[in-house]
Amino acid sequence: MTNDILTQLTQVLQTGDATAVSDLTKLAIDQSIGTKIILDDGLIAGMNIVGERFKKHEIFLPDLLFSAKAFYAGLEHLKPLLLKEKIASPGKVVIGTVQGDQHDIGKNLVGIMLEGAGFEVVDLGKDVSPEQFVDAAVETNADVIGMSALLTTTMPVMKKVIDLATERKIKDQFKYIVGGAPLSDKFAKEIGADAYCFDTVSAVECVKGFVKGK
Amino acid sequence: MKPQLHEIDVDQTLATTASLLAGQSIPDSVTPDDRIYQLIKDARKLYSDLAEPKSLTIEIERDQFAELFIGERNNHPDALLTELIPLADSFTLFASTAGQKVCTEIERLFASNEFPLASMLDATASEGADLVAEITQEMIRKQLKNNDQLDAGQELLRFSPGYCGWHISGQHKLFDTLQPSLIGIELSESYLMSPLKSVSGVILKAPIEAFDIYDNFPYCADCRNRSCRDRYHTLVAKMENNK
């Protein structure tokens, strides 16, 4: 019975049916399936498959977002239980669009997919200063700082974030991922970031890798 | 010169279904399912209902633009416009926007977890804002042509702070001169425009050869969209068609 519900949950999540995901999550809770099992083996398992299919270009951004919306419909029911049962996320990521840049759609999508993978996301929004990034990472005890930029002229702010953490002698407390249209692997290496993520799925994979390696 | 306000018909700035599909990286060979078509239909409807496209322009002298372009002295030493300013003979500052209402709706949709529609409306509004800038450029072109100020072989191309080595801080002096607050566009201390779906910059008139921009400037390595080249090729194609 447990496996049936979780399999169904994974399947309807892939189709992006938010109502069905909501109903099945409630049913799973009513059936006393463990909160973490519903999250990991139902919702996140479904999102993992969706992410893989997106990576293989079998589905496209709107499909991914229909599934993300469905994921959140299920997560709404689980959130109070996760808090009550003090179930920790596998990791925490502070994300933001760097100072001087206004483009936040990519950053938003990365945040959605990271939550879809079970991570706790602290979204600082856009036009985020180096101090705000570093302070938030310290305050929330984050594992990863994720920075986004679309303008070539705002890319240097990413280096300022890493330099500031270095200056405060806390650089190694965090991993640093960067993303945005004008960026490259080379740029990430030059500024001392740990990874350049070219899309939402690669961002999730990077964060998973970093958290696993801790 | 006095600033000119241009009210633009929203339908002229409405992205097509084909361009929105292409923007989602959905190849022509793939037939998306009906829900994606419905999503595009809903996003286009919302955009039509909420967008308030308008733009503001002002023509200034070369010297005035050259000073404005220097801005806060943050431009790349090889900024493209440094080469183009002496070659151009008309400088029109512009600011264009799809309006605040559509931007507010995108934020509301994201906050309500309506990610597919939020993202599609965002794409529609981004294209809309670019189309407002494109239409504004075309209006300037028509005005110049009607006034016999567009010589054979001359064309218009637009550039914005934040691209092609023109530092984003260039927005400051551009806004001081143009005053885009007249159409509701404000600039933050860190040079962010509000409404978000706004474009500002300069429209240059120059011999078309001047716009044959090579793309190996140091900053081009960091730029993937190459829209400067795309626009140049579009201009050349238009000129060829008009021959």
Side-chain angles (χ1 to χ4, degrees), chain B residues 147-180:
Chain B
N147 295 336
D148 288 330
Q149 291 173 321
L150 189 70
D151 297 339
Q154 282 194 315
E155 265 307 336
L156 275 62
L157 210 59
R158 64 182 184 276
F159 300 89
S160 296
Y163 298 91
C164 301
W166 187 3
H167 195 268
I168 189 77
S169 59
Q171 291 277 44
H172 201 195
K173 285 201 171 172
L174 192 153
F175 267 64
D176 279 352
T177 307
L178 181 61
Q179 297 294 322

Side-chain angles (χ1 to χ4, degrees), chain B residues 33-133:
Chain B
D33 61 38
D34 289 346
R35 69 178 177 173
I36 294 182
Y37 281 111
Q38 186 61 48
L39 190 63
I40 290 175
K41 196 175 166 188
D42 292 346
R44 293 178 85 236
K45 169 82 169 65
L46 268 177
Y47 179 86
S48 282
D49 291 347
L50 298 172
E52 295 166 323
K54 56 184 80 160
S55 63
L56 189 72
T57 58
I58 188 169
E59 192 178 354
I60 61 173
E61 297 297 324
R62 177 187 283 114
D63 290 351
Q64 199 182 351
F65 180 70
E67 196 185 322
L68 181 153
F69 173 65
I70 290 168
E72 298 173 11
R73 299 186 182 278
N74 295 320
N75 293 336
H76 193 282
D78 298 324
L80 181 63
L81 283 172
T82 310
E83 283 187 26
L84 287 179
I85 289 170
L87 302 172
D89 65 1
S90 162
F91 301 82
T92 304
L93 303 182
F94 77 94
S96 55
T97 184
Q100 183 56 49
K101 282 185 190 168
V102 69
C103 298
T104 304
E105 181 65 4
I106 293 165
E107 284 181 12
R108 190 194 69 77
L109 288 168
F110 262 117
S112 314
N113 296 349
E114 293 290 344
F115 310 129
L117 187 54
S119 172
M120 194 59 80
L121 183 59
D122 185 274
T124 310
S126 288
E127 276 206 45
D130 279 341
L131 284 167
V132 182

